Amino acid sequence: MRVIRKILGVIFTLIAVPLLILAACNAAVDSTLRAPETYANTLENDAIFEDLASVALPAIIQANNSQNQNLSDNNLADESPVKLNEVISALDTDVWREVTNLLVSSDWLQERTDQLVTSMLEVVNGNPDVIDEPFDLTDLRQRLVGEEAQAAATLIIENSPECTQTQTDQIRTLIATQEGHLPICNPSNASQRENSITILTFWFAELADALESDIPTVSKFLEINRDNAQVISLIFDIDRQGMLLLFLCPLALLALTITLAIRSFIGFGRWVGVAFITAGVGVLLMLAIVQIMAFNIVSEVLNAQTDLEIFLGRIISEIARSAFSKASGTMFVFMGLYIAIGFILLGLSWIITRDDDHNDGEMVLISEDGEIISTASQKRIGT
């Protein structure tokens, strides 16, 4: 029976240790995701949004594609004289960044990104309705029809490659018949250059009208629907309610172990102490795994295929770095707490064991006259 109790105690302890690790990791992740300061460093970094401006415009158009039939594959309708992908491919990266910085304000982009992050935080905290809020494109539309559009069109034409004869003929045909599309190049003829800039300016205005006709919602940018948002809210709600249970379950198992297998404080210190130290080491290993996961998230950004994926991926990767830093601190606290509890219990059991060893002297026999009788003498005299 004693052996069975020992086996059950070992089993309960082996189950309790992973649960202690899971409880620590869950507490760290939950507190990190719900804390606004996790996202503050990313949202307050102006340099990030200045870099993201180059993909923001294509990303916004792409997000709007799913609900606006006036846009198709990052372009306006097929009869549009300008193709956005041709504009991007014709310009150097630095020039395209200048163009997008004219059309997309980094402050506005920062505000809209703050809206996306705040909306996701609201979903996590149980408010899925927030994904139906409109994504305000007012500033972008004003720039697409304002002086910024004129400056951007001039910048595009002046920094494009020189037109070939075929491209020159295409521009001449487009001006004369209003049919065809505009090749993104720099005409040698001043009149054609002015006409190309004018066509680009009108194209920006068409783009603004198309964006205004059907304002995208937050859900389009987060790429989640209402059902997904409700599932996310439900998962985090269950997790929040079960947080205490994750800590109580391993403690209950350890209590059963104490009841079944431990008959002294020395045994209690050894069993429970080793369990907590093992859990602390497990939390350290999980910390390494979380770091690998954060690295994989950043790596996914490099493999993004669309501008919207690049935009969201960059934001998510920056938030992942911030979240990893905050979660690491919480996990280190749990790791230190577990290991400290374990060593304290082991230390107390060792002290008690040492005291017992000092107090346990050799038992001797004493005669009526006060003489010490050895064990051998006892056997000889038969007493």
Side-chain angles (χ1 to χ4, degrees):
M1 189 66 181
R2 182 178 180 183
V3 174
I4 295 176
R5 290 201 303 267
K6 290 283 187 181
I7 294 174
L8 290 175
V10 171
I11 294 174
F12 290 153
T13 303
L14 292 177
I15 297 174
V17 169
L19 289 178
L20 283 171
I21 297 172
L22 178 61
C25 295
N26 183 73
V29 172
D30 185 80
S31 62
T32 298
L33 292 179
R34 295 180 188 279
E37 56 269 21
T38 301
Y39 317 98
N41 292 335
T42 299
L43 298 176
E44 293 174 1
N45 191 338
D46 297 337
I48 294 176
F49 298 98
E50 291 175 0
D51 292 339
L52 284 176
S54 59
V55 295
L57 181 60
I60 291 169
I61 296 174
Q62 180 185 343
N64 211 39
N65 283 349
S66 59
Q67 61 183 38
N68 192 339
Q69 299 302 317
N70 292 326
L71 297 173
S72 175
D73 297 331
N74 285 354
N75 300 300
L76 293 176
D78 293 338
E79 63 270 14
S80 174
V82 180
K83 307 299 180 184
L84 179 59
N85 54 357
E86 292 184 12
V87 176
I88 297 174
S89 60
L91 301 176
D92 291 336
T93 303
D94 292 338
V95 176
W96 175 242
R97 183 176 290 110
E98 285 186 63
V99 171
T100 52
N101 282 336
L102 284 169
L103 299 174
V104 181
S105 166
S106 60
D107 292 337
W108 172 82
L109 184 59
Q110 196 166 3
E111 291 175 1
R112 300 283 65 79
T113 305
D114 181 82
Q115 180 186 5
L116 293 178
V117 173
T118 303
S119 298
M120 197 62 209
L121 191 58
E122 286 288 324
V123 170
V124 168
N125 287 319
N127 182 20
D129 296 334
V130 73
I131 66 170
D132 295 327
E133 292 182 358
F135 190 83
D136 187 8
L137 299 173
T138 302
D139 184 82
L140 175 61
R141 290 198 302 269
Q142 289 176 349
R143 287 173 177 266
L144 288 172
V145 296
E147 296 179 356
E148 294 86 357
Q150 177 74 29
T154 303
L155 196 62
I156 290 172
I157 296 301
E158 291 181 350
N159 288 275
S160 297
E162 292 185 3
C163 293
T164 63
Q165 185 59 47
T166 301
Q167 291 173 325
T168 300
D169 293 339
Q170 289 176 336
I171 295 174
R172 188 180 297 111
T173 300
L174 176 62
I175 295 172
T177 66
Q178 303 297 313
E179 295 181 357
H181 77 281
L182 178 71
I184 306 304
C185 61
N186 188 1
S188 57
N189 183 283
S191 176
Q192 288 187 348
R193 188 182 306 113
E194 288 299 323
N195 280 308
S196 297
I197 293 174
T198 300
I199 292 171
L200 274 174
T201 303
F202 276 112
W203 174 70
F204 284 136
E206 288 181 338
L207 199 59
D209 291 339
L211 291 173
E212 186 175 13
S213 64
D214 198 353
I215 299 174
T217 59
V218 170
S219 63
K220 298 301 178 182
F221 282 88
L222 294 178
E223 295 187 325
I224 60 174
N225 55 37
R226 188 173 183 82
D227 291 337
N228 293 335
Q230 289 176 339
V231 169
I232 293 173
S233 297
L234 179 62
I235 290 174
F236 276 89
D237 184 58
I238 294 174
D239 178 75
R240 182 168 54 249
Q241 294 180 9
M243 182 76 67
L244 182 60
L245 188 63
L246 279 176
F247 284 97
L248 291 178
C249 283
L251 294 178
L253 289 172
L254 290 176
L256 284 174
T257 301
I258 295 170
T259 303
L260 293 173
I262 301 173
R263 297 299 182 184
S264 66
F265 183 80
I266 296 174
F268 168 80
R270 289 172 179 172
W271 280 68
V272 180
V274 170
F276 270 93
I277 291 174
T278 305
V281 174
V283 173
L284 181 61
L285 293 176
M286 288 300 298
L287 188 60
I289 294 174
V290 170
Q291 185 174 11
I292 294 174
M293 292 173 60
F295 176 78
N296 289 335
I297 292 174
V298 175
S299 300
E300 285 294 325
V301 178
L302 302 178
N303 299 324
Q305 300 296 321
T306 66
D307 293 296
L308 181 58
E309 289 177 353
I310 294 173
F311 176 79
L312 293 176
R314 177 68 186 279
I315 295 297
I316 292 172
S317 65
E318 294 295 334
I319 291 176
R321 290 191 180 99
S322 176
F324 172 74
S325 176
K326 182 173 176 58
S328 298
T330 305
M331 292 176 73
F332 269 120
V333 170
F334 276 103
M335 180 192 70
L337 182 63
Y338 285 170
I339 293 177
I341 291 174
F343 274 111
I344 289 173
L345 292 175
L346 286 178
L348 291 175
S349 65
W350 176 78
I351 292 173
I352 294 173
T353 303
R354 187 185 63 175
D355 291 341
D356 288 345
D357 290 340
H358 288 169
N359 293 332
D360 291 342
E362 182 181 357
M363 185 176 69
V364 297
L365 300 175
I366 301 176
S367 67
E368 295 180 355
D369 298 331
E371 296 179 358
I372 297 177
I373 304 174
S374 68
T375 305
S377 300
Q378 179 189 14
K379 291 180 179 179
R380 285 198 303 271
I381 64 178
T383 58

